[in-house]
Amino acid sequence: MSARTRLRVALAVLASAALAACPWSAAHADPTATTHLTGTLADGATWTADVPDRWNGTLLLFSHGFGPTVAQDAPSDAVRTQLLAEGYAMAGASYDPHGSMWALNSAELDQFATLDAVTAKTGTPRRTLAVGQSMGGLVNAQIARDGAGRVDGALGLCGLVAGGTDLDNYQLDAEYTITRLLLPGQDVKLVRFGSADDAAATAKKLTDAVTVAQTTPQGRARIALAAAFLNLPAWAPGQDRPAPADWAGQEEQQYTWFAQGIVSFVEGGRFAMEQSAGGNNSWNRGVDYARLLAGSAHARQVRALYRTAGLDLRADLASLTRGATVAADPAAVRTAQRTSSAGQGLAVPLLDVHTIADNLVPVEQERQFGDRVRTAGDGAMLRQAYVERQGHCTFTTAETVAALHALERRVTTGRWDDAATPAALQRSATALGLDGAAYVPYRPARLTVGRDRPEHPARH
């Protein structure tokens, strides 16, 4: 056999081995062809998956956000189309459809079961990356904590990573402030909703109160106080970002979020959380509201608007502290801590991306989560990146795909290097030639929540 013949034989053997090792053969594949798979898990959850014929061997395990328990495998149709074109396979579960839309009791287990079900049909991927959005970002952080040997890395998008108890607590502070200062003497149900209708009724009362209050300087000052406790950004969609000392302009844009119905979403979410946790997992008994405001990034705005309105801020804060009597159900706190928390460590690298003016999951949650990860000793595993835009999960396709590429580089090289810096992410996203990008250097303020860690609620 000649040297040239031996070389041809060797190359053929190597090519054959490479195709055999690939879990989904790419030989002669149509570059646009995709196989769609579905199935049902033991708890009744459904799963869906899309596998391109030219699969690159990487499987993305997508955790969807709060809402109907319907299986999804990508954060958007545009992202799915782009990633399929790049050769990625995607899968995701509905979570248990028989429970609450706050499906944290089953979500992580359903995602791991989906991984097993999909790989039984496709073969073992070369690499598995978890991706999660909004509430699914919390699920994703749990998978990053618990998924050693199952996933290789994780990408969080606008994740609710501070957890369910912090969320319910700072939302309670805002709801309580509106009730006590804008609806004095009225009996408004804030916790332990018996039905979705109860939650909707409370949302209407609070939203109507804010609408009336916006017509006076005194009302606007008190709206700003409630917005500070809600960690509500002062930059609304379709508007220019207010100047740093434009206190009235900031409040006007915070009011825009209220007018667009944020309280309805908050109260509906509370009802779902209480269903999931088996009771009320939030409390304000023992909260010092003057101290709480002092730690808020919006404290200067609130003080300025109170001065303009001729109101006594100290008196309002003292009134809030005196009237704070809501106690948590201890069993619900324990359940939420077990099912709806994260930050107790990372087993795989995690890149979190967040818009800086997120009305539903404030960017300050990233600061809370990052502090917890570093306290657990896993800070080197975490990177966080920020997009200069208003709204919840309003990422471009380019921003999402660039973040995924940065995570893959970390998994491949074992080092973050500079792949996840704002400048590198911006270059990577722009180079895709898709729909633009706005990665910026940013450090979130501390989350205004004013409680101990969720496992240590105030004594009552």
Side-chain angles (χ1 to χ4, degrees):
M1 185 182 294
S2 68
R4 179 174 293 180
T5 301
R6 287 196 299 271
L7 176 59
R8 287 175 177 170
V9 170
L11 290 174
V13 170
L14 288 173
S16 177
L19 287 174
C22 181
W24 198 272
S25 176
H28 309 296
D30 179 343
T32 63
T34 300
T35 299
H36 183 67
L37 305 170
T38 60
T40 303
L41 303 176
D43 65 0
T46 58
W47 59 264
T48 187
D50 290 293
V51 185
D53 283 6
R54 290 188 174 181
W55 185 15
N56 63 18
T58 296
L59 175 64
L60 307 179
L61 182 65
F62 178 69
S63 300
H64 71 76
F66 179 78
T69 48
V70 176
Q72 302 172 43
D73 62 9
S76 71
D77 290 342
V79 169
R80 180 187 295 104
T81 298
Q82 177 65 25
L83 293 178
L84 286 172
E86 293 187 14
Y88 294 93
M90 289 164 278
S94 65
Y95 318 141
D96 182 357
H98 306 298
S100 164
M101 286 195 298
W102 183 266
L104 271 293
N105 289 323
S106 73
E108 184 183 13
L109 293 176
D110 287 334
Q111 288 295 81
F112 284 135
T114 293
L115 183 59
D116 291 339
V118 172
T119 56
K121 292 180 177 290
T122 65
T124 302
R126 291 197 188 101
R127 173 179 293 159
T128 300
L129 302 176
V131 181
Q133 177 173 278
S134 192
M135 183 192 77
L138 175 56
V139 179
N140 184 67
Q142 295 173 336
I143 291 172
R145 177 191 67 197
D146 303 329
R150 307 297 303 277
V151 300
D152 301 290
L155 171 64
L157 304 169
C158 50
L160 204 159
V161 287
T165 297
D166 278 350
L167 173 74
D168 271 4
N169 271 330
Y170 68 69
Q171 290 179 343
L172 173 63
D173 290 330
E175 297 154 7
Y176 167 66
T177 298
I178 294 169
T179 299
R180 189 163 179 89
L181 299 183
L182 301 183
L183 296 170
Q186 295 192 32
D187 183 16
V188 180
K189 192 175 187 65
L190 297 179
V191 298
R192 300 182 182 92
F193 293 131
S195 67
D197 287 344
D198 283 349
T202 290
K204 185 178 187 310
K205 285 182 181 178
L206 299 184
T207 300
D208 288 350
V210 170
T211 300
V212 171
Q214 184 66 15
T215 62
T216 69
Q218 295 77 18
R220 291 192 291 272
R222 286 168 167 155
I223 290 171
L225 180 60
F229 293 147
L230 191 55
N231 295 276
L232 192 63
W235 185 22
Q239 302 190 39
D240 293 333
R241 192 174 181 181
D246 181 6
W247 311 124
Q250 291 174 19
E251 188 280 333
E252 184 177 351
Q253 296 203 28
Q254 288 170 322
Y255 171 72
T256 297
W257 294 117
F258 281 112
Q260 289 179 352
I262 188 173
V263 179
S264 293
F265 188 88
V266 165
E267 300 303 345
R270 177 176 293 278
F271 172 64
M273 168 70 86
E274 291 184 347
Q275 283 184 306
S276 178
N280 171 40
N281 69 307
S282 61
W283 66 93
N284 69 358
R285 183 176 293 179
V287 172
D288 181 334
Y289 280 90
R291 180 177 296 179
L292 188 64
L293 178 63
S296 169
H298 300 295
R300 290 181 62 200
Q301 174 207 12
V302 172
R303 293 184 187 115
L305 292 176
Y306 262 76
R307 285 194 299 271
T308 298
L311 283 176
D312 187 338
L313 177 57
R314 289 184 180 181
D316 272 1
L317 293 171
S319 174
L320 291 173
T321 300
R322 282 195 310 273
T325 59
V326 177
D329 300 323
V333 175
R334 290 192 295 270
T335 296
Q337 175 61 10
R338 185 180 71 255
T339 65
S340 304
S341 65
Q344 300 91 336
L346 294 174
V348 299
L350 170 63
L351 172 59
D352 268 355
V353 183
H354 223 109
T355 54
I356 67 171
D358 188 327
N359 55 315
L360 297 183
V361 180
V363 67
E364 290 86 357
Q365 286 212 18
E366 294 288 350
R367 177 77 171 266
Q368 188 89 326
F369 176 69
D371 288 347
R372 289 172 180 168
V373 170
R374 285 184 284 274
T375 297
D378 290 332
M381 301 286 277
L382 176 67
R383 289 295 183 274
Q384 292 162 298
Y386 302 98
V387 168
E388 190 173 27
R389 191 172 297 116
Q390 318 96 303
H392 181 52
C393 303
T394 53
F395 304 112
T396 65
T397 299
E399 288 159 352
T400 301
V401 173
L404 179 65
H405 290 168
L407 172 65
E408 272 205 296
R409 178 174 170 182
R410 165 62 179 83
V411 171
T412 298
T413 65
R415 302 182 303 274
W416 284 110
D417 295 330
D418 65 349
T421 64
L425 288 166
Q426 183 68 11
R427 286 194 301 271
S428 177
T430 302
L432 290 169
L434 296 172
D435 48 357
Y439 280 105
V440 292
Y442 186 76
R443 179 171 172 76
R446 293 193 179 279
L447 187 69
T448 302
V449 65
R451 274 62 159 187
D452 295 332
R453 288 291 301 272
E455 64 266 33
H456 301 298
R459 299 291 181 184
H460 55 267

